[in-house]
Structure formats: C-alpha cells, structure tokens
Amino acid sequence: MDQGSNSMKRRPTIAVIMDENTSAGGDRYDISKRYFAAIDRAGGFPYGIPYVPDLVDQVVDEFDGFLSVGGRINFPKQWYVDGDQSRYPISDRLAVEIALMKGFLARDKPVLGVCNGMQMLGCLHGCRMVSDVHSSWSGAINHDRGNPLHEVTIQAGTRMADIFAAETFSVNTFHREAIVELSDSVVATARGLDGVVEAIEVPSLSFAMGVQWHPELFDPADHPGSRIFDAFVEAANQRL
C-alpha cells in the first residue's frame, strides 16, 4: 500500500441490525440490500449484525453509528397505549436491538431508526404507540396497504428541516403501528396530512433520529427524504 493510501481517513462503520422473516417462521435473517447501498453511497461501511447477545458490547465499542431497520416484531406491552399491544410475532431481535440502541444512545453515537426503528427510538424515550393506526387514529389513511405514497410536512426549526431542506414531500408507507403519544424528550419533525407522526428527533443527543417511511427505497439523487442517510453517516464521520 502506498503512502497516499495509508494517509486516507477511514470511512465510518455503521452497525445494521438484521431483520428476519417473521411472517414465515422467523428462521432466517432477511433484510433489503438497499439499506447497505444507502449507507455505502453516503460514505459509510455497513455491517449486518445478527442476534447474538455477546456481540452487543463489542459492537457498541467499535462501531461509529447504528441503523435500526424496518421490521415487524413484538414490542413490549408497556410501549403501547392502555389496552393495546403488539400483534406481531415474538422475535430474538428485540432484546439484542434494545441493548444495541441503548448502548449507542448512552455514548451519544449516531442512531437512525427506520419504520420499526423509529418506533423503538421513540418508545425508549417515553413515547407510546398503537398497534393499528388506521383503526386507532381518526381520519388516518391506511398506512399498510401496498406502498401508497402520501405527503408529509416537515416541522420548521428542527434539525431534520435543515437536513431535508424542503417543507413538504411525498413518502412511501408500509406501517400498521405508529407513535401517537410523544414524550417531552422527543420532537415530531414530520407529520402526514392525517396528523400521524412520520419522523422524530431527540434534541438532547447529537444525532438520534427516526423516520416512519423507507428512505432507502427512493432515488437519492432527487428525493429529499434520502438525505437522512447523508446526515447520519456524516454524524458518524464526525466521531472519527
């Protein structure tokens, strides 16, 4: 390796929790390649993390950021509004992911949550959710119906508003569950036209953000929502 290569700054490493085929028995890891492509495009090196509890401390120590991807797993009952609970399967992912997210948050390392990941980020900071937003939220569109697009409005004055540099844009939607009660620790940074929370951030941390849509599925060249990956990897890069 020449001197120029030796002097190059390393790229930030991003731990990506693996998803699984919960709808077909939960016996396989199952995750979209687009998450990894989005992190790579933004300048980071993504690594898939399996559900091995003994890995948690080492991952938190050695990685620069954590990406919590979409999925459908059984969350704790106390994360839901009174009288509600998850309708999804029990998963080995839950305990490992909670430990990972708590570990990265405790060290103020960047955390990005997508869909399921946004809900976990919010609930770890005192928010509460519902298992079926379409039946629980008056006037809610059906957010779990074959990838429909709908508009979101970005909250001015938030860090996400600076990232997206757009007041409104259309997003995809694949979720049945949704955050409906915010804690004082969390700010809603985007809402759908039906009022459903579509993005959050934790102002007390350097980068702890979540989006309900799937930005990895959009063309990064022309969709404002994809800029969240650039900001996430840049936040991780700042720790090098």
Side-chain angles (χ1 to χ4, degrees), residues 10-18 35-36 38-49 59-60 62-69 100 104 109-113 207 228-240:
R10 77 170 178 89
R11 294 169 67 175
T13 54
I14 306 299
V16 183
I17 187 71
M18 299 293 285
Y35 292 112
F36 297 90
I39 294 298
D40 176 51
R41 179 198 59 78
F45 280 142
Y47 294 82
I49 306 300
V59 169
V60 172
E62 297 182 1
F63 282 78
D64 303 308
F66 176 61
L67 174 62
S68 173
V69 304
L100 283 168
F104 278 87
K109 291 186 175 184
V111 170
L112 174 61
F207 191 104
I228 194 72
F229 286 113
D230 297 297
F232 172 51
V233 172
E234 177 55 28
N237 192 50
Q238 294 301 315
R239 300 190 59 86
L240 299 183

Side-chain angles (χ1 to χ4, degrees), residues 12 22 30 44 53 55 61 63 84 117-118 132 141 174 176 178 216 218 223:
T22 51
D30 185 3
L55 272 176
D61 283 342
F63 282 78
D84 200 358
M118 184 194 98
D132 186 348
I141 66 171
F174 296 93
R176 182 180 303 165
E216 76 281 2
F218 288 120
H223 195 280

Side-chain angles (χ1 to χ4, degrees), residues 191-229:
R191 290 184 183 268
L193 296 181
D194 55 5
V196 171
V197 176
E198 291 286 337
I200 61 171
E201 61 186 43
V202 183
S204 64
L205 297 171
S206 60
F207 191 104
M209 300 187 183
V211 295
Q212 193 63 70
W213 65 86
H214 283 260
E216 76 281 2
L217 298 179
F218 288 120
D219 182 350
D222 61 14
H223 195 280
S226 298
R227 296 171 189 158
I228 194 72
F229 286 113

Side-chain angles (χ1 to χ4, degrees), residues 175-196:
H175 63 103
R176 182 180 303 165
E177 301 187 320
I179 289 175
V180 294
E181 294 181 5
L182 294 168
S183 72
D184 292 339
S185 301
V186 173
V187 172
T189 50
R191 290 184 183 268
L193 296 181
D194 55 5
V196 171

Side-chain angles (χ1 to χ4, degrees), residues 85-185:
Q85 63 184 41
S86 175
R87 304 178 189 182
Y88 292 142
I90 299 293
S91 170
D92 293 333
R93 172 179 169 179
L94 180 67
V96 171
E97 184 167 17
I98 288 177
L100 283 168
M101 189 175 285
K102 283 183 173 180
F104 278 87
L105 292 170
R107 297 196 181 200
D108 199 17
K109 291 186 175 184
V111 170
L112 174 61
V114 173
C115 199
N116 168 100
M118 184 194 98
Q119 295 158 5
M120 177 174 287
L121 177 64
C123 289
L124 287 178
H125 286 89
C127 298
R128 293 211 296 175
M129 55 194 290
V130 292
S131 62
D132 186 348
V133 68
H134 186 53
S135 64
S136 303
W137 186 279
S138 178
I141 66 171
N142 190 340
H143 288 262
D144 190 31
R145 181 179 49 82
N147 187 25
L149 294 176
H150 68 87
E151 195 170 82
V152 296
T153 300
I154 309 304
Q155 179 63 46
T158 61
R159 282 183 287 174
M160 271 199 196
D162 292 336
I163 292 168
F164 296 137
E167 295 180 358
T168 62
F169 49 84
S170 291
V171 300
N172 51 29
T173 182
F174 296 93
H175 63 103
R176 182 180 303 165
E177 301 187 320
I179 289 175
V180 294
E181 294 181 5
L182 294 168
S183 72
D184 292 339
S185 301

